[in-house]
Amino acid sequence: MTSTPKKLLIFGLSILAFVAIYFVVFAPKTEIPSNENVGATSEIPSSVYLPSLTDLKGNTVKMDENKLIFLNVWATWCGPCNMEMPGIQTLYNKYKTNKKVDFFIVSDEDAETVNPFIARKGYELPFYQFAGPYPPALDGNAIPRTYIIFKGKIIAQEVGASQWDTPEINSLIQKQLAEI
């Protein structure tokens, strides 16, 4: 038996691999036009501020771009969210009277779920609801997600549970407040 068919097969496969690599690496890329209106139910916000934010009574709330924003995305069923909530409460207590800071503790759960949780835990935080697509800079599939935002820029962010009442966080907030 000769090895010529094997050599031809290996040679052919080598050529095929070379052509595939060429097209992947060197060939010009063509952009596929997007059909933005096909199946779109709502527009994705482009800023870091949440549109259509409501308090737990259903009142529309707007984020003030001229304030330092502490934004936490959470859920009642989320263990890590529950672990970090006491630290957020402590941080909020320190800054709640400061007119330059706003806190937004945001869930997509309805008030009938969140209110009993708040009552049971005794939190006195500003809880809000948000339903809709998050701006790309705030979008994620993990909670808790926390952002400190000022003038449209995220100056700090954390995905996962954190301790929010630390000297480092207080120092960061104080530094930003000095610039407002």
Side-chain angles (χ1 to χ4, degrees), residues 117-164:
F117 173 86
I118 295 168
R120 188 172 60 252
K121 299 288 188 173
Y123 293 126
E124 296 176 0
L125 293 163
F127 289 95
Y128 299 95
Q129 295 173 290
F130 179 71
Y134 281 87
L138 304 179
D139 198 17
N141 59 1
I143 53 173
R145 295 189 314 273
T146 306
Y147 308 91
I148 298 176
I149 302 167
F150 182 62
K151 294 282 187 188
K153 293 184 180 183
I154 298 171
I155 58 172
Q157 68 180 19
E158 184 71 34
V159 175
S162 287
Q163 190 62 35
W164 291 105

mmCIF file of all heavy atoms in Angstrom, residues 117-164:
data_model
loop_
_atom_site.group_PDB
_atom_site.id
_atom_site.type_symbol
_atom_site.label_atom_id
_atom_site.label_comp_id
_atom_site.label_asym_id
_atom_site.label_seq_id
_atom_site.Cartn_x
_atom_site.Cartn_y
_atom_site.Cartn_z
ATOM 1 N N PHE A 117 -39.616 42.823 53.267
ATOM 2 C CA PHE A 117 -38.195 42.600 53.525
ATOM 3 C C PHE A 117 -37.610 43.765 54.322
ATOM 4 O O PHE A 117 -36.910 43.571 55.320
ATOM 5 C CB PHE A 117 -37.449 42.423 52.193
ATOM 6 C CG PHE A 117 -35.954 42.363 52.341
ATOM 7 C CD1 PHE A 117 -35.323 41.164 52.611
ATOM 8 C CD2 PHE A 117 -35.179 43.504 52.201
ATOM 9 C CE1 PHE A 117 -33.943 41.098 52.757
ATOM 10 C CE2 PHE A 117 -33.795 43.458 52.342
ATOM 11 C CZ PHE A 117 -33.186 42.252 52.617
ATOM 12 N N ILE A 118 -37.910 44.992 53.871
ATOM 13 C CA ILE A 118 -37.416 46.191 54.550
ATOM 14 C C ILE A 118 -37.932 46.242 55.989
ATOM 15 O O ILE A 118 -37.183 46.511 56.927
ATOM 16 C CB ILE A 118 -37.851 47.472 53.794
ATOM 17 C CG1 ILE A 118 -37.211 47.526 52.416
ATOM 18 C CG2 ILE A 118 -37.488 48.721 54.591
ATOM 19 C CD1 ILE A 118 -37.811 48.599 51.517
ATOM 20 N N ALA A 119 -39.211 45.957 56.169
ATOM 21 C CA ALA A 119 -39.806 45.999 57.505
ATOM 22 C C ALA A 119 -39.165 44.958 58.422
ATOM 23 O O ALA A 119 -38.866 45.237 59.590
ATOM 24 C CB ALA A 119 -41.318 45.771 57.411
ATOM 25 N N ARG A 120 -38.944 43.762 57.893
ATOM 26 C CA ARG A 120 -38.363 42.678 58.687
ATOM 27 C C ARG A 120 -36.922 43.001 59.095
ATOM 28 O O ARG A 120 -36.500 42.731 60.214
ATOM 29 C CB ARG A 120 -38.428 41.377 57.880
ATOM 30 C CG ARG A 120 -38.047 40.142 58.641
ATOM 31 C CD ARG A 120 -38.309 38.847 57.871
ATOM 32 N NE ARG A 120 -37.581 38.759 56.609
ATOM 33 C CZ ARG A 120 -38.130 38.864 55.397
ATOM 34 N NH1 ARG A 120 -39.424 39.070 55.262
ATOM 35 N NH2 ARG A 120 -37.399 38.758 54.309
ATOM 36 N N LYS A 121 -36.162 43.593 58.191
ATOM 37 C CA LYS A 121 -34.748 43.887 58.446
ATOM 38 C C LYS A 121 -34.533 45.230 59.139
ATOM 39 O O LYS A 121 -33.465 45.479 59.694
ATOM 40 C CB LYS A 121 -33.948 43.869 57.140
ATOM 41 C CG LYS A 121 -33.956 42.540 56.431
ATOM 42 C CD LYS A 121 -33.112 41.536 57.169
ATOM 43 C CE LYS A 121 -32.969 40.263 56.360
ATOM 44 N NZ LYS A 121 -32.035 39.324 56.942
ATOM 45 N N GLY A 122 -35.515 46.124 59.061
ATOM 46 C CA GLY A 122 -35.399 47.425 59.710
ATOM 47 C C GLY A 122 -34.532 48.437 58.966
ATOM 48 O O GLY A 122 -34.040 49.380 59.573
ATOM 49 N N TYR A 123 -34.363 48.252 57.671
ATOM 50 C CA TYR A 123 -33.549 49.191 56.895
ATOM 51 C C TYR A 123 -34.288 50.500 56.661
ATOM 52 O O TYR A 123 -35.496 50.521 56.471
ATOM 53 C CB TYR A 123 -33.131 48.591 55.552
ATOM 54 C CG TYR A 123 -32.186 47.426 55.697
ATOM 55 C CD1 TYR A 123 -32.455 46.204 55.103
ATOM 56 C CD2 TYR A 123 -31.010 47.551 56.432
ATOM 57 C CE1 TYR A 123 -31.590 45.137 55.238
ATOM 58 C CE2 TYR A 123 -30.140 46.478 56.579
ATOM 59 C CZ TYR A 123 -30.430 45.279 55.976
ATOM 60 O OH TYR A 123 -29.580 44.218 56.122
ATOM 61 N N GLU A 124 -33.541 51.572 56.676
ATOM 62 C CA GLU A 124 -34.081 52.906 56.393
ATOM 63 C C GLU A 124 -33.315 53.495 55.223
ATOM 64 O O GLU A 124 -32.742 54.576 55.299
ATOM 65 C CB GLU A 124 -33.960 53.786 57.639
ATOM 66 C CG GLU A 124 -34.792 53.276 58.791
ATOM 67 C CD GLU A 124 -34.608 54.080 60.064
ATOM 68 O OE1 GLU A 124 -33.825 55.051 60.062
ATOM 69 O OE2 GLU A 124 -35.246 53.727 61.065
ATOM 70 N N LEU A 125 -33.288 52.755 54.139
ATOM 71 C CA LEU A 125 -32.578 53.144 52.930
ATOM 72 C C LEU A 125 -33.572 53.584 51.864
ATOM 73 O O LEU A 125 -34.734 53.172 51.889
ATOM 74 C CB LEU A 125 -31.766 51.955 52.386
ATOM 75 C CG LEU A 125 -30.600 51.495 53.251
ATOM 76 C CD1 LEU A 125 -30.149 50.101 52.849
ATOM 77 C CD2 LEU A 125 -29.449 52.475 53.124
ATOM 78 N N PRO A 126 -33.129 54.385 50.914
ATOM 79 C CA PRO A 126 -34.009 54.779 49.808
ATOM 80 C C PRO A 126 -34.057 53.677 48.740
ATOM 81 O O PRO A 126 -33.169 53.567 47.907
ATOM 82 C CB PRO A 126 -33.351 56.061 49.284
ATOM 83 C CG PRO A 126 -31.910 55.933 49.660
ATOM 84 C CD PRO A 126 -31.863 55.114 50.913
ATOM 85 N N PHE A 127 -35.096 52.861 48.827
ATOM 86 C CA PHE A 127 -35.264 51.745 47.901
ATOM 87 C C PHE A 127 -36.081 52.182 46.692
ATOM 88 O O PHE A 127 -37.048 52.934 46.829
ATOM 89 C CB PHE A 127 -35.970 50.579 48.596
ATOM 90 C CG PHE A 127 -35.111 49.882 49.615
ATOM 91 C CD1 PHE A 127 -35.181 50.228 50.948
ATOM 92 C CD2 PHE A 127 -34.235 48.885 49.233
ATOM 93 C CE1 PHE A 127 -34.397 49.586 51.901
ATOM 94 C CE2 PHE A 127 -33.439 48.234 50.172
ATOM 95 C CZ PHE A 127 -33.527 48.590 51.503
ATOM 96 N N TYR A 128 -35.695 51.665 45.525
ATOM 97 C CA TYR A 128 -36.367 52.014 44.271
ATOM 98 C C TYR A 128 -36.550 50.776 43.412
ATOM 99 O O TYR A 128 -35.915 49.745 43.634
ATOM 100 C CB TYR A 128 -35.553 53.052 43.492
ATOM 101 C CG TYR A 128 -35.384 54.340 44.248
ATOM 102 C CD1 TYR A 128 -34.259 54.583 45.016
ATOM 103 C CD2 TYR A 128 -36.372 55.319 44.202
ATOM 104 C CE1 TYR A 128 -34.114 55.755 45.725
ATOM 105 C CE2 TYR A 128 -36.233 56.508 44.910
ATOM 106 C CZ TYR A 128 -35.099 56.710 45.662
ATOM 107 O OH TYR A 128 -34.968 57.880 46.368
ATOM 108 N N GLN A 129 -37.407 50.934 42.421
ATOM 109 C CA GLN A 129 -37.653 49.873 41.448
ATOM 110 C C GLN A 129 -37.216 50.357 40.072
ATOM 111 O O GLN A 129 -37.394 51.538 39.735
ATOM 112 C CB GLN A 129 -39.138 49.532 41.370
ATOM 113 C CG GLN A 129 -39.684 48.934 42.641
ATOM 114 C CD GLN A 129 -41.185 48.792 42.539
ATOM 115 O OE1 GLN A 129 -41.896 49.774 42.550
ATOM 116 N NE2 GLN A 129 -41.652 47.557 42.418
ATOM 117 N N PHE A 130 -36.655 49.433 39.307
ATOM 118 C CA PHE A 130 -36.297 49.740 37.925
ATOM 119 C C PHE A 130 -36.610 48.520 37.080
ATOM 120 O O PHE A 130 -36.162 47.419 37.373
ATOM 121 C CB PHE A 130 -34.817 50.098 37.792
ATOM 122 C CG PHE A 130 -34.412 50.405 36.382
ATOM 123 C CD1 PHE A 130 -34.827 51.575 35.771
ATOM 124 C CD2 PHE A 130 -33.634 49.528 35.664
ATOM 125 C CE1 PHE A 130 -34.475 51.869 34.470
ATOM 126 C CE2 PHE A 130 -33.259 49.810 34.363
ATOM 127 C CZ PHE A 130 -33.685 50.980 33.763
ATOM 128 N N ALA A 131 -37.394 48.735 36.052
ATOM 129 C CA ALA A 131 -37.715 47.669 35.106
ATOM 130 C C ALA A 131 -37.343 48.180 33.724
ATOM 131 O O ALA A 131 -37.821 49.222 33.301
ATOM 132 C CB ALA A 131 -39.194 47.316 35.172
ATOM 133 N N GLY A 132 -36.508 47.484 33.081
ATOM 134 C CA GLY A 132 -36.085 47.893 31.752
ATOM 135 C C GLY A 132 -34.626 47.567 31.554
ATOM 136 O O GLY A 132 -33.956 47.101 32.473
ATOM 137 N N PRO A 133 -34.120 47.841 30.373
ATOM 138 C CA PRO A 133 -32.702 47.560 30.133
ATOM 139 C C PRO A 133 -31.825 48.577 30.839
ATOM 140 O O PRO A 133 -32.122 49.763 30.853
ATOM 141 C CB PRO A 133 -32.573 47.676 28.611
ATOM 142 C CG PRO A 133 -33.695 48.563 28.196
ATOM 143 C CD PRO A 133 -34.806 48.334 29.176
ATOM 144 N N TYR A 134 -30.771 48.076 31.451
ATOM 145 C CA TYR A 134 -29.810 48.959 32.094
ATOM 146 C C TYR A 134 -28.920 49.591 31.031
ATOM 147 O O TYR A 134 -28.683 48.992 29.983
ATOM 148 C CB TYR A 134 -28.936 48.178 33.084
ATOM 149 C CG TYR A 134 -29.629 47.908 34.387
ATOM 150 C CD1 TYR A 134 -30.434 46.797 34.562
ATOM 151 C CD2 TYR A 134 -29.472 48.780 35.455
ATOM 152 C CE1 TYR A 134 -31.078 46.564 35.767
ATOM 153 C CE2 TYR A 134 -30.109 48.551 36.663
ATOM 154 C CZ TYR A 134 -30.908 47.440 36.811
ATOM 155 O OH TYR A 134 -31.546 47.209 37.998
ATOM 156 N N PRO A 135 -28.422 50.784 31.296
ATOM 157 C CA PRO A 135 -27.440 51.365 30.373
ATOM 158 C C PRO A 135 -26.264 50.398 30.239
ATOM 159 O O PRO A 135 -25.932 49.691 31.206
ATOM 160 C CB PRO A 135 -27.010 52.655 31.070
ATOM 161 C CG PRO A 135 -28.111 52.971 32.015
ATOM 162 C CD PRO A 135 -28.688 51.650 32.436
ATOM 163 N N PRO A 136 -25.623 50.351 29.086
ATOM 164 C CA PRO A 136 -24.523 49.396 28.894
ATOM 165 C C PRO A 136 -23.461 49.434 29.987
ATOM 166 O O PRO A 136 -22.967 48.395 30.399
ATOM 167 C CB PRO A 136 -23.933 49.803 27.538
ATOM 168 C CG PRO A 136 -25.092 50.404 26.803
ATOM 169 C CD PRO A 136 -25.903 51.114 27.861
ATOM 170 N N ALA A 137 -23.121 50.601 30.484
ATOM 171 C CA ALA A 137 -22.088 50.703 31.524
ATOM 172 C C ALA A 137 -22.531 50.080 32.848
ATOM 173 O O ALA A 137 -21.696 49.728 33.673
ATOM 174 C CB ALA A 137 -21.713 52.169 31.747
ATOM 175 N N LEU A 138 -23.835 49.940 33.051
ATOM 176 C CA LEU A 138 -24.353 49.382 34.305
ATOM 177 C C LEU A 138 -24.923 47.986 34.131
ATOM 178 O O LEU A 138 -25.415 47.393 35.093
ATOM 179 C CB LEU A 138 -25.454 50.288 34.872
ATOM 180 C CG LEU A 138 -25.106 51.745 35.127
ATOM 181 C CD1 LEU A 138 -26.318 52.484 35.666
ATOM 182 C CD2 LEU A 138 -23.934 51.870 36.075
ATOM 183 N N ASP A 139 -24.896 47.489 32.918
ATOM 184 C CA ASP A 139 -25.524 46.207 32.634
ATOM 185 C C ASP A 139 -24.642 45.071 33.133
ATOM 186 O O ASP A 139 -23.425 45.117 33.018
ATOM 187 C CB ASP A 139 -25.784 46.060 31.137
ATOM 188 C CG ASP A 139 -26.792 44.980 30.833
ATOM 189 O OD1 ASP A 139 -27.523 44.566 31.755
ATOM 190 O OD2 ASP A 139 -26.858 44.544 29.674
ATOM 191 N N GLY A 140 -25.259 44.081 33.672
ATOM 192 C CA GLY A 140 -24.527 42.916 34.141
ATOM 193 C C GLY A 140 -25.496 41.834 34.542
ATOM 194 O O GLY A 140 -26.686 42.063 34.705
ATOM 195 N N ASN A 141 -24.982 40.645 34.682
ATOM 196 C CA ASN A 141 -25.857 39.544 35.052
ATOM 197 C C ASN A 141 -25.633 39.092 36.486
ATOM 198 O O ASN A 141 -26.170 38.085 36.903
ATOM 199 C CB ASN A 141 -25.665 38.369 34.081
ATOM 200 C CG ASN A 141 -24.243 37.868 34.062
ATOM 201 O OD1 ASN A 141 -23.381 38.363 34.785
ATOM 202 N ND2 ASN A 141 -23.965 36.888 33.236
ATOM 203 N N ALA A 142 -24.851 39.832 37.236
ATOM 204 C CA ALA A 142 -24.581 39.464 38.627
ATOM 205 C C ALA A 142 -25.113 40.557 39.553
ATOM 206 O O ALA A 142 -25.137 41.726 39.204
ATOM 207 C CB ALA A 142 -23.082 39.297 38.839
ATOM 208 N N ILE A 143 -25.543 40.140 40.710
ATOM 209 C CA ILE A 143 -25.904 41.076 41.764
ATOM 210 C C ILE A 143 -25.261 40.568 43.040
ATOM 211 O O ILE A 143 -25.021 39.366 43.168
ATOM 212 C CB ILE A 143 -27.441 41.245 41.939
ATOM 213 C CG1 ILE A 143 -28.125 39.912 42.129
ATOM 214 C CG2 ILE A 143 -28.018 42.016 40.795
ATOM 215 C CD1 ILE A 143 -29.586 40.036 42.467
ATOM 216 N N PRO A 144 -24.959 41.445 43.950
ATOM 217 C CA PRO A 144 -25.135 42.880 43.867
ATOM 218 C C PRO A 144 -24.102 43.521 42.936
ATOM 219 O O PRO A 144 -22.996 43.013 42.768
ATOM 220 C CB PRO A 144 -24.933 43.353 45.307
ATOM 221 C CG PRO A 144 -24.003 42.326 45.903
ATOM 222 C CD PRO A 144 -24.377 41.027 45.235
ATOM 223 N N ARG A 145 -24.522 44.637 42.367
ATOM 224 C CA ARG A 145 -23.639 45.504 41.583
ATOM 225 C C ARG A 145 -23.777 46.889 42.185
ATOM 226 O O ARG A 145 -24.889 47.368 42.373
ATOM 227 C CB ARG A 145 -24.056 45.576 40.108
ATOM 228 C CG ARG A 145 -23.932 44.294 39.356
ATOM 229 C CD ARG A 145 -24.143 44.473 37.854
ATOM 230 N NE ARG A 145 -25.275 45.266 37.424
ATOM 231 C CZ ARG A 145 -26.507 44.810 37.222
ATOM 232 N NH1 ARG A 145 -26.799 43.549 37.487
ATOM 233 N NH2 ARG A 145 -27.458 45.607 36.779
ATOM 234 N N THR A 146 -22.666 47.525 42.459
ATOM 235 C CA THR A 146 -22.708 48.846 43.078
ATOM 236 C C THR A 146 -21.808 49.797 42.310
ATOM 237 O O THR A 146 -20.712 49.423 41.886
ATOM 238 C CB THR A 146 -22.263 48.772 44.551
ATOM 239 O OG1 THR A 146 -23.061 47.784 45.220
ATOM 240 C CG2 THR A 146 -22.426 50.112 45.245
ATOM 241 N N TYR A 147 -22.314 51.016 42.127
ATOM 242 C CA TYR A 147 -21.587 52.035 41.382
ATOM 243 C C TYR A 147 -21.626 53.345 42.166
ATOM 244 O O TYR A 147 -22.649 53.683 42.744
ATOM 245 C CB TYR A 147 -22.239 52.282 40.019
ATOM 246 C CG TYR A 147 -22.456 51.019 39.228
ATOM 247 C CD1 TYR A 147 -23.657 50.306 39.336
ATOM 248 C CD2 TYR A 147 -21.471 50.537 38.376
ATOM 249 C CE1 TYR A 147 -23.855 49.147 38.618
ATOM 250 C CE2 TYR A 147 -21.676 49.378 37.645
ATOM 251 C CZ TYR A 147 -22.869 48.680 37.772
ATOM 252 O OH TYR A 147 -23.074 47.525 37.062
ATOM 253 N N ILE A 148 -20.526 54.069 42.130
ATOM 254 C CA ILE A 148 -20.506 55.440 42.622
ATOM 255 C C ILE A 148 -20.286 56.290 41.371
ATOM 256 O O ILE A 148 -19.304 56.099 40.642
ATOM 257 C CB ILE A 148 -19.422 55.669 43.684
ATOM 258 C CG1 ILE A 148 -19.707 54.764 44.898
ATOM 259 C CG2 ILE A 148 -19.377 57.136 44.098
ATOM 260 C CD1 ILE A 148 -18.659 54.822 45.993
ATOM 261 N N ILE A 149 -21.240 57.184 41.125
ATOM 262 C CA ILE A 149 -21.293 57.929 39.865
ATOM 263 C C ILE A 149 -21.287 59.423 40.162
ATOM 264 O O ILE A 149 -21.953 59.878 41.085
ATOM 265 C CB ILE A 149 -22.587 57.570 39.095
ATOM 266 C CG1 ILE A 149 -22.663 56.069 38.834
ATOM 267 C CG2 ILE A 149 -22.703 58.365 37.806
ATOM 268 C CD1 ILE A 149 -24.027 55.579 38.375
ATOM 269 N N PHE A 150 -20.554 60.166 39.322
ATOM 270 C CA PHE A 150 -20.599 61.621 39.400
ATOM 271 C C PHE A 150 -20.398 62.205 38.015
ATOM 272 O O PHE A 150 -19.486 61.822 37.296
ATOM 273 C CB PHE A 150 -19.551 62.168 40.368
ATOM 274 C CG PHE A 150 -19.599 63.657 40.508
ATOM 275 C CD1 PHE A 150 -20.731 64.279 41.012
ATOM 276 C CD2 PHE A 150 -18.543 64.441 40.105
ATOM 277 C CE1 PHE A 150 -20.798 65.660 41.118
ATOM 278 C CE2 PHE A 150 -18.591 65.827 40.218
ATOM 279 C CZ PHE A 150 -19.728 66.429 40.724
ATOM 280 N N LYS A 151 -21.287 63.140 37.658
ATOM 281 C CA LYS A 151 -21.226 63.843 36.371
ATOM 282 C C LYS A 151 -21.157 62.871 35.192
ATOM 283 O O LYS A 151 -20.399 63.056 34.255
ATOM 284 C CB LYS A 151 -20.035 64.797 36.324
ATOM 285 C CG LYS A 151 -20.132 65.954 37.283
ATOM 286 C CD LYS A 151 -21.059 67.006 36.769
ATOM 287 C CE LYS A 151 -21.017 68.240 37.639
ATOM 288 N NZ LYS A 151 -21.999 69.205 37.300
ATOM 289 N N GLY A 152 -21.950 61.799 35.268
ATOM 290 C CA GLY A 152 -22.028 60.864 34.158
ATOM 291 C C GLY A 152 -20.898 59.862 34.081
ATOM 292 O O GLY A 152 -20.830 59.083 33.137
ATOM 293 N N LYS A 153 -20.008 59.871 35.064
ATOM 294 C CA LYS A 153 -18.883 58.941 35.057
ATOM 295 C C LYS A 153 -18.947 58.027 36.261
ATOM 296 O O LYS A 153 -19.266 58.462 37.366
ATOM 297 C CB LYS A 153 -17.548 59.695 35.071
ATOM 298 C CG LYS A 153 -17.291 60.467 33.806
ATOM 299 C CD LYS A 153 -15.923 61.090 33.844
ATOM 300 C CE LYS A 153 -15.700 61.861 32.549
ATOM 301 N NZ LYS A 153 -14.373 62.426 32.481
ATOM 302 N N ILE A 154 -18.621 56.774 36.035
ATOM 303 C CA ILE A 154 -18.523 55.815 37.130
ATOM 304 C C ILE A 154 -17.146 55.983 37.748
ATOM 305 O O ILE A 154 -16.135 55.756 37.084
ATOM 306 C CB ILE A 154 -18.724 54.374 36.625
ATOM 307 C CG1 ILE A 154 -20.121 54.220 36.029
ATOM 308 C CG2 ILE A 154 -18.482 53.377 37.747
ATOM 309 C CD1 ILE A 154 -20.359 52.905 35.317
ATOM 310 N N ILE A 155 -17.114 56.415 39.006
ATOM 311 C CA ILE A 155 -15.820 56.631 39.659
ATOM 312 C C ILE A 155 -15.405 55.430 40.507
ATOM 313 O O ILE A 155 -14.243 55.307 40.870
ATOM 314 C CB ILE A 155 -15.807 57.927 40.490
ATOM 315 C CG1 ILE A 155 -16.885 57.914 41.551
ATOM 316 C CG2 ILE A 155 -15.946 59.131 39.587
ATOM 317 C CD1 ILE A 155 -16.797 59.071 42.517
ATOM 318 N N ALA A 156 -16.361 54.552 40.809
ATOM 319 C CA ALA A 156 -16.050 53.310 41.513
ATOM 320 C C ALA A 156 -17.163 52.314 41.202
ATOM 321 O O ALA A 156 -18.317 52.711 41.036
ATOM 322 C CB ALA A 156 -15.953 53.534 43.016
ATOM 323 N N GLN A 157 -16.792 51.059 41.109
ATOM 324 C CA GLN A 157 -17.803 50.027 40.915
ATOM 325 C C GLN A 157 -17.327 48.723 41.531
ATOM 326 O O GLN A 157 -16.130 48.482 41.638
ATOM 327 C CB GLN A 157 -18.132 49.837 39.442
ATOM 328 C CG GLN A 157 -17.033 49.241 38.602
ATOM 329 C CD GLN A 157 -17.459 49.103 37.147
ATOM 330 O OE1 GLN A 157 -18.385 49.739 36.689
ATOM 331 N NE2 GLN A 157 -16.773 48.269 36.410
ATOM 332 N N GLU A 158 -18.282 47.932 41.933
ATOM 333 C CA GLU A 158 -17.983 46.646 42.548
ATOM 334 C C GLU A 158 -19.093 45.669 42.171
ATOM 335 O O GLU A 158 -20.271 45.988 42.289
ATOM 336 C CB GLU A 158 -17.913 46.795 44.068
ATOM 337 C CG GLU A 158 -17.514 45.546 44.800
ATOM 338 C CD GLU A 158 -16.052 45.177 44.598
ATOM 339 O OE1 GLU A 158 -15.209 46.076 44.480
ATOM 340 O OE2 GLU A 158 -15.762 43.970 44.554
ATOM 341 N N VAL A 159 -18.699 44.496 41.715
ATOM 342 C CA VAL A 159 -19.653 43.430 41.450
ATOM 343 C C VAL A 159 -19.412 42.387 42.524
ATOM 344 O O VAL A 159 -18.291 41.925 42.719
ATOM 345 C CB VAL A 159 -19.463 42.823 40.037
ATOM 346 C CG1 VAL A 159 -20.394 41.640 39.831
ATOM 347 C CG2 VAL A 159 -19.680 43.878 38.972
ATOM 348 N N GLY A 160 -20.464 42.051 43.245
ATOM 349 C CA GLY A 160 -20.348 41.148 44.379
ATOM 350 C C GLY A 160 -20.450 41.936 45.672
ATOM 351 O O GLY A 160 -20.424 43.162 45.675
ATOM 352 N N ALA A 161 -20.574 41.214 46.750
ATOM 353 C CA ALA A 161 -20.743 41.854 48.059
ATOM 354 C C ALA A 161 -19.465 42.556 48.490
ATOM 355 O O ALA A 161 -18.366 42.065 48.267
ATOM 356 C CB ALA A 161 -21.142 40.818 49.100
ATOM 357 N N SER A 162 -19.635 43.720 49.086
ATOM 358 C CA SER A 162 -18.503 44.503 49.597
ATOM 359 C C SER A 162 -18.882 45.116 50.932
ATOM 360 O O SER A 162 -20.054 45.186 51.291
ATOM 361 C CB SER A 162 -18.138 45.621 48.630
ATOM 362 O OG SER A 162 -17.513 45.100 47.500
ATOM 363 N N GLN A 163 -17.876 45.608 51.608
ATOM 364 C CA GLN A 163 -18.089 46.342 52.846
ATOM 365 C C GLN A 163 -18.056 47.814 52.481
ATOM 366 O O GLN A 163 -17.011 48.342 52.132
ATOM 367 C CB GLN A 163 -16.999 45.990 53.866
ATOM 368 C CG GLN A 163 -17.255 46.500 55.245
ATOM 369 C CD GLN A 163 -18.512 45.924 55.870
ATOM 370 O OE1 GLN A 163 -18.865 44.774 55.649
ATOM 371 N NE2 GLN A 163 -19.205 46.733 56.645
ATOM 372 N N TRP A 164 -19.198 48.499 52.551
ATOM 373 C CA TRP A 164 -19.307 49.866 52.049
ATOM 374 C C TRP A 164 -19.076 50.943 53.090
ATOM 375 O O TRP A 164 -19.048 52.119 52.754
ATOM 376 C CB TRP A 164 -20.667 50.063 51.368
ATOM 377 C CG TRP A 164 -20.715 49.279 50.117
ATOM 378 C CD1 TRP A 164 -21.375 48.110 49.887
ATOM 379 C CD2 TRP A 164 -20.016 49.567 48.906
ATOM 380 N NE1 TRP A 164 -21.138 47.654 48.623
ATOM 381 C CE2 TRP A 164 -20.300 48.539 47.990
ATOM 382 C CE3 TRP A 164 -19.160 50.590 48.501
ATOM 383 C CZ2 TRP A 164 -19.780 48.509 46.708
ATOM 384 C CZ3 TRP A 164 -18.643 50.562 47.228
ATOM 385 C CH2 TRP A 164 -18.951 49.529 46.347
#
